[in-house]
Amino acid sequence: MTKATERTEHVLLSHWLDNRAYPGVSGSTAPVTNPATGEVTGRVALGSVEDARAVIAAAAQAFPGWRDTSLARRTQILFAFRELLNARKGELAEIITSEHGKVVSDALGEVSRGQEVVEFACGIPHLLKGGFTENASTKVDVYSIRQPLGPVAVISPFNFPAMVPMWFFPIAIAAGNTVVLKPSEKDPTASLWLANLWKEAGLPDGVFNVLQGDKTVVDELLTNPAVKSVSFVGSTPIAQYVYATATASGKRVQALGGAKNHAVILPDADLDLAADSMVNAGFGSAGERCMAISVCVAVGPIADDLVAKIAERTTGLKVGDGARDSDMGPLVTKAHRDKVASYIDAGEADGAKIVVDGRHVSADGGAEGFWLGPTLIDHVTPQMSVYADEIFGPVLSVIRVETYDEALELINSNPYGNGTAIFTNDGGAARRFQNEVEVGMIGINVPIPVPMAYFSFGGWKASLFGDSHAHGLDGVHFFTRGKAITSRWLDPSHRGIELGFPQNV
């Protein structure tokens, strides 16, 4: 063990409640590593049920005061948070790189996309407006309002430790809720950095809280009656578990699951644009994106040329430490790196052709880093595990089909429905595709169709459990509930006993 490792291994990444660090009572911790070196850089607290209840209690205690805080004051704090984030987002990007491994420019892009949701939430007063009808019945007015739920939970994955939480908590807080964020144990520091930023922006104690840990604290969030909703992003099996468990406890749930995103390349497409896009969408962030393209569907006679163009671009990518001048960083853990490599082994054993092999990459980083280079696999079939499973790594499979109809059937028969793309110069084909494909987010000559914050983010089929997508108007409605009020002020003409059902006249 190096001296640097000895020094940093004892840094405790704790919980956060009432605008202060809270070490908890469990005493259990897990290592946090730098994926580019393999070194332990700190230890994250693994909370107990008691720790979870303490954090939830802080959120519950803060809720009445924050709910009754004026919209004007709430938005002032949102604007202050936005300004602080904008000024210091480079600092957050470097933190993400040090624990996730993605290159700094990619981490900065993540923060910027999350910031868009903060900016959307700054306009919450307009989005919370109710409706009013005067004299709906004689001297009777009817109006509607939207109110916050209470303490809400956000359970976020390792691959976007800043952006995914920011899909949810800016809108939740702006609408008057209090938040308990449960980040991934693999890269927890971003959550604490954000908590400190909220404190600096003037957010009251207990409104934004962080609960570190594993399944123990997750189960408490899913079942504790003080928590009113759960927002989750992760794998499909866990999303199913979160949805079933939390809804059984009477909570609102939006659980975003896994993906197997296809890009269809039609014969009339610009193959250079398509090849650039496949490399960017397949290998950016080492493929650790729920919107990454993992399947390239080549239609008709273009497959050989397309594969050659992708391979040419892939072999020039520089793999290395994300803090250096690299195109692609390491995978998040050694275990995940080895799992992804096993899919390449399986594809090769099943008869697919390994065109570009990332298993023996020479990386510009530590010898113990979790390296796996970009990998391109041709002649993949739907029966192979490299196609059937969500790999979540820098592995791009090519499936060859003869017709558009075959490509559409391939996508629609897949259990996932998160994102997809089509590359074509034919407007009619593109419009037909967007109408017929059973996927939640579609790109037309755009490989990663992540919508802007004022639209909603979410997939279909096994990629989403629950009715609400993330952010946009879906987010506003998810974090609020409606009331309809019927009022009549003193009117002697309505006195007296009348047991019939009220009628509008």
Side-chain angles (χ1 to χ4, degrees):
M1 184 182 291
T2 67
K3 290 183 178 180
T5 304
E6 290 176 336
R7 181 178 66 252
T8 57
E9 189 176 6
H10 300 291
V11 173
L12 177 66
L13 302 166
S14 64
H15 317 286
W16 182 272
L17 64 81
D18 286 336
N19 275 338
R20 59 181 174 83
Y22 169 63
V25 299
S26 76
S28 297
T29 64
V32 177
T33 57
N34 182 335
T37 64
E39 293 182 331
V40 174
T41 57
R43 300 197 70 86
V44 61
L46 296 179
S48 63
V49 171
E50 292 76 15
D51 295 328
R53 289 176 179 171
V55 176
I56 294 168
Q61 185 174 2
F63 171 64
W66 184 243
R67 173 197 60 202
D68 295 336
T69 299
S70 71
L71 277 171
R73 178 58 183 152
R74 282 190 228 154
T75 52
Q76 286 170 2
I77 294 173
L78 260 290
F79 272 106
F81 180 81
R82 187 266 177 197
E83 292 304 299
L84 290 169
L85 179 63
N86 192 51
R88 294 167 52 187
K89 58 187 176 183
E91 180 182 332
L92 179 56
E94 291 178 358
I95 290 171
I96 294 168
T97 294
S98 70
E99 293 183 348
H100 175 278
K102 65 179 68 175
V103 300
V104 171
S105 60
D106 190 30
L108 189 61
E110 167 187 345
V111 176
S112 297
R113 291 308 299 266
Q115 183 178 318
E116 292 173 3
V117 184
V118 178
E119 292 165 353
F120 172 79
C122 286
I124 202 76
H126 170 68
L127 301 172
L128 292 181
K129 288 190 304 185
F132 189 99
T133 298
E134 183 183 32
N135 219 37
S137 187
T138 304
K139 297 183 180 180
V140 174
D141 302 329
V142 180
Y143 54 98
S144 64
I145 59 176
R146 299 203 67 82
Q147 294 184 321
L149 307 178
V152 301
V154 177
I155 304 170
S156 64
F158 76 85
N159 60 320
F160 287 102
M163 184 184 74
V164 167
M166 282 194 279
W167 282 351
F168 305 107
F169 69 66
I171 298 173
I173 289 172
N177 302 280
T178 56
V179 172
V180 176
L181 169 61
K182 208 302 283 185
S184 169
E185 312 94 284
K186 297 180 178 67
D187 43 14
T189 301
S191 64
L192 298 173
W193 189 93
L194 290 164
N196 273 287
L197 206 69
W198 274 120
K199 180 179 181 179
E200 190 174 342
L203 196 68
D205 292 356
V207 177
F208 183 81
N209 309 275
V210 178
L211 176 61
Q212 310 284 8
D214 52 19
K215 186 176 183 295
T216 298
V217 299
V218 168
D219 284 344
E220 184 63 24
L221 290 172
L222 301 183
T223 58
N224 191 299
V227 177
K228 303 306 179 185
S229 74
V230 176
S231 302
F232 170 86
V233 178
S235 69
T236 286
I238 305 303
Q240 289 176 304
Y241 173 80
V242 166
Y243 182 76
T245 306
T247 53
S249 296
K251 305 183 192 305
R252 287 188 177 185
V253 182
Q254 47 184 178
L256 283 67
K260 195 71 179 183
N261 303 321
H262 301 66
V264 175
I265 318 299
L266 294 186
D268 71 315
D270 181 329
L271 292 190
D272 288 316
L273 171 65
D276 289 342
S277 298
M278 292 307 94
V279 172
N280 295 337
F283 306 128
S285 196
E288 293 174 326
R289 293 172 176 160
C290 67
M291 289 294 285
I293 293 295
S294 55
V295 183
C296 173
V297 185
V299 180
I302 62 167
D304 287 343
D305 288 345
L306 179 62
V307 169
K309 288 177 180 291
I310 296 172
E312 178 186 7
R313 289 158 170 80
T314 300
T315 52
L317 295 179
K318 182 178 179 181
V319 178
D321 190 328
R324 303 178 188 176
D325 183 23
S326 301
D327 297 307
M328 193 186 94
L331 274 70
V332 68
T333 64
K334 183 179 186 303
H336 185 55
R337 181 264 169 217
D338 293 345
K339 181 180 179 181
V340 174
S342 74
Y343 279 104
I344 305 172
D345 298 339
E348 188 172 38
D350 288 340
K353 180 182 179 182
I354 312 299
V355 179
V356 179
D357 192 340
R359 287 172 291 187
H360 307 292
V361 65
S362 177
D364 180 21
E368 302 301 318
F370 312 137
W371 306 112
L372 186 71
T375 299
L376 178 62
I377 307 180
D378 195 7
H379 298 287
V380 172
T381 66
Q383 294 73 36
M384 298 178 182
S385 63
V386 72
Y387 171 78
D389 297 346
E390 182 184 26
I391 297 175
F392 223 63
V395 179
L396 179 63
S397 299
V398 178
I399 290 186
R400 299 176 178 227
V401 299
E402 291 301 318
T403 66
Y404 164 90
D405 288 330
E406 288 180 70
L408 182 69
E409 174 60 24
L410 184 71
I411 299 172
N412 286 349
S413 63
N414 192 277
Y416 298 108
N418 204 48
T420 189
I422 187 169
F423 286 81
T424 180
N425 285 310
D426 185 335
R431 193 177 189 283
R432 180 183 171 190
F433 183 75
Q434 73 180 40
N435 179 60
E436 296 177 338
V437 72
E438 297 173 5
V439 173
M441 292 171 284
I442 298 123
I444 298 173
N445 298 315
V446 175
I448 303 180
V450 177
M452 296 294 291
Y454 40 84
F455 287 93
S456 62
F457 180 103
W460 287 15
K461 299 186 286 189
S463 295
L464 175 71
F465 299 87
D467 296 326
S468 294
H469 290 187
H471 58 70
L473 290 179
D474 273 27
V476 176
H477 281 261
F478 181 81
F479 288 116
T480 59
R481 51 188 170 184
K483 280 183 178 177
I485 298 98
T486 304
S487 70
R488 178 177 61 222
W489 295 102
L490 294 177
D491 181 0
S493 68
H494 284 85
R495 290 176 180 167
I497 303 301
E498 173 55 65
L499 301 185
F501 195 82
Q503 299 184 42
N504 296 322
V505 293

